[in-house]
Amino acid sequence: MNQCSPTRAASSRGHLFGRKQAQELRFWPAEDLRAPIGAVKGAFALRFFAPACSQNLLWGAQQVAARRGRLEAPVQPGSALHRLALMLGGFLAVTAFGAPVDPSESQLIRQALDAQQTIEARREACRSLQMHGGAAAAEALGPLLADPQLHYLARLALTAIPDPAATRILLAALARATEPAFAIGLLHSLGERRDAVAVPAIAGKLSDGDAQVRGAAIRALGQLGTVEVLRILGQGKAADVDRSTWEDAMILAAAQCAGVAPSEAGPAFRSLQRSARLSTRSAALVGLGRLGALTADEWRSVLLSPERLLREAAVALAATGARDTFIPTAALMAELPAEVQRQLVVVLAARGTSGALPAIRRALQTNEPKVRAAAAKALGELGDTTSADALFALAFSDDESGAGARAGLTRLPGHGTDEKLMQRFADRPCSTWLTI
C-alpha cells in the first residue's frame, strides 16, 4: 500500500492522538465557544448590577468577567485562538448590551446626593466625579460644600472638574465662607485651577482678618500668575504675612508672565534681587537671565559672589541658555575661582560657543590641572586648530591636564593637524600613539 495514502495518514493520526481526537481535528473545537459565552455572561451581570456597585467592587467584577472568559476556554491562554475568542466575546457584549461598564455622570451625581446611601458610597461617588464630572456635576456638588462629611471631597472634585462652572461654584462658596479653614481650602482650590476669573475675589482676601487666609490668598495669586496678579503683588505684601510667602508668589507669578509679558516680569525680578533671602535672589537671577536682561557687570558680580548658590545658579543659567546668553571675556575668566572656571569651560564647550575661545584659551594657562584639562578638551571639541601647539606642549603632563590635552588633540580636525601629530610624536613610545 502507498505509504502516503489517506488511510495511512488517518491511521497515523489515530495512533498519535487517539481515534476520537483525530475525528475532532477536522472541526472547530466546540469548547472554544465558552470563552465568548463567558465574556457575554460577565458583561450581562455587570450591566444589571453596575449601578449598585462601588468603583472597587465594579473593578473586581470586571476582573471576574475577564477571568471567566479565560478559564472556561480549554485553549492555552495567550494563544491566537484564545485571543480571537476573547475579541469575539467583547464584540458580542458591546453589541448586545451597549453601554460601558463605568457608571455615568448622572449615576454618580444621584449616588452622591442620595441621603439613603452610606456615607462611604457617597464619598466614593465624589471621588469618581473628579474624573467623570462636568458642568452638571459642578452644579450638583455646590450644596455638598456645606456638608461637614462631604465638603472636602466635593471641593477636590470641583478643583479637578475642567468646566468653568466649577470655578463659579467655588467663588460663590468663597464669598459665603466664614470659617478660616474652609476659606483657605477654597483659595487653594482656586489657585490650583489657575482660572484668571478668580483674581479679583482672591485679591479681596488680602485684607481678610485672618493672617492665614491672607497668606493662602497670596499663594493662590502666585499660582494664577497673570499680569494683573503681578501688579497686585507689586503693591506690597499683606500685613502680618511672612515675607517669604509673598516672595515665593512673586517669583511664581513673574516666571509665568515672562513668556507673555517680559516687560512686566523684568521689574518684578529686579525688585526681588534686593531680598535678604538667598534663594529668592537666586530665583530672581535665573528669571532675569532667561529674559536676557543681565548685563556683563551683573554676570561678573554673580560669578564672583561669595555665595555658592548664586554662582551655581549663574553657571546653570549659562548652560541652559542660547549660544549668546553669556560669553565671558579672557580677563573675567582669569578673575574667577578655579571651580567656576572649570564649570564655565564645560558649559561653553557643550553649547558650541566659538566666541568664548579667548576665555577658554586663557583657562588653559591656569595653574589648576582640572581647569587646564577641561579647557584642553573644550578647545578640541570646538575645533580650535590654532591651539594645537599649546595642546602638544601639555599632552605629556603627569597630571589630569595631560589626559585632557590628549583628548583634545584627538578631536582637532584637518590633515595638517595629523601631520603635526606625526612629526611631534615620532620619537614617542607606541603607548602614546595608542592614546592619541
Side-chain angles (χ1 to χ4, degrees), residues 223-244:
Q223 289 177 293
L224 294 178
T226 64
V227 174
E228 184 182 3
V229 164
L230 270 184
R231 292 170 181 169
I232 292 172
L233 294 177
Q235 297 173 3
K237 70 181 186 68
D240 299 329
V241 174
D242 184 36
R243 184 172 180 82
S244 63

Side-chain angles (χ1 to χ4, degrees), residues 44-218:
F44 183 86
L46 288 175
R47 173 62 175 164
F48 281 89
F49 292 101
C53 293
S54 67
Q55 289 294 311
N56 292 334
L57 182 59
L58 188 58
W59 179 85
Q62 289 173 321
Q63 299 303 308
V64 170
R67 289 180 178 275
R68 189 177 177 119
R70 287 199 299 268
L71 297 178
E72 288 192 10
V75 296
Q76 183 68 26
S79 65
L81 187 60
H82 175 252
R83 291 196 296 270
L84 177 63
L86 290 182
M87 288 173 61
L88 178 60
F91 173 75
L92 292 175
V94 173
T95 304
F97 304 113
V101 175
D102 290 338
S104 65
E105 179 185 11
S106 59
Q107 291 174 327
L108 291 171
I109 291 174
R110 287 196 298 271
Q111 181 175 333
L113 297 179
D114 187 0
Q116 302 302 318
Q117 295 278 347
T118 64
I119 190 62
E120 187 54 42
R122 298 178 70 187
R123 286 173 176 168
E124 190 65 31
C126 290
R127 293 189 188 99
S128 298
L129 285 173
Q130 294 183 40
M131 298 177 289
H132 304 291
E139 298 289 347
L141 289 169
L144 296 184
L145 291 173
D147 190 310
Q149 292 182 304
L150 296 172
H151 69 89
Y152 176 71
L153 289 174
R155 179 172 65 79
L156 290 185
L158 287 167
T159 305
I161 292 174
D163 195 275
T167 301
R168 178 170 51 80
I169 298 298
L170 290 170
L171 288 174
L174 181 64
R176 300 190 303 268
T178 56
E179 296 182 4
F182 184 48
I184 290 170
L186 292 171
L187 288 168
H188 175 74
S189 293
L190 289 168
E192 288 290 327
R193 290 185 61 80
R194 288 176 168 80
D195 192 339
V197 175
V199 170
I202 297 176
K205 290 297 181 179
L206 293 177
S207 57
D208 191 89
D210 189 279
Q212 292 184 337
V213 173
R214 295 195 297 272
I218 289 177

Side-chain angles (χ1 to χ4, degrees), residues 206-289:
L206 293 177
S207 57
D208 191 89
D210 189 279
Q212 292 184 337
V213 173
R214 295 195 297 272
I218 289 177
R219 285 188 290 270
L221 287 174
Q223 289 177 293
L224 294 178
T226 64
V227 174
E228 184 182 3
V229 164
L230 270 184
R231 292 170 181 169
I232 292 172
L233 294 177
Q235 297 173 3
K237 70 181 186 68
D240 299 329
V241 174
D242 184 36
R243 184 172 180 82
S244 63
T245 301
W246 175 81
E247 290 178 352
D248 289 342
M250 280 285 287
I251 290 168
L252 186 57
Q256 294 182 77
C257 288
V260 294
S263 60
E264 298 284 346
F269 284 130
R270 290 283 180 198
S271 66
L272 292 170
Q273 280 191 307
R274 298 187 292 271
S275 171
R277 195 170 59 147
L278 182 59
S279 59
T280 298
R281 298 202 306 274
S282 175
L285 167 71
V286 172
L288 288 171

Side-chain angles (χ1 to χ4, degrees), residues 419-436:
E419 293 174 358
K420 288 183 180 179
L421 281 171
M422 295 175 64
Q423 294 172 4
R424 207 66 181 269
F425 299 132
D427 58 342
R428 296 292 180 174
C430 293
S431 60
T432 301
W433 286 102
L434 292 175
T435 303
I436 297 187

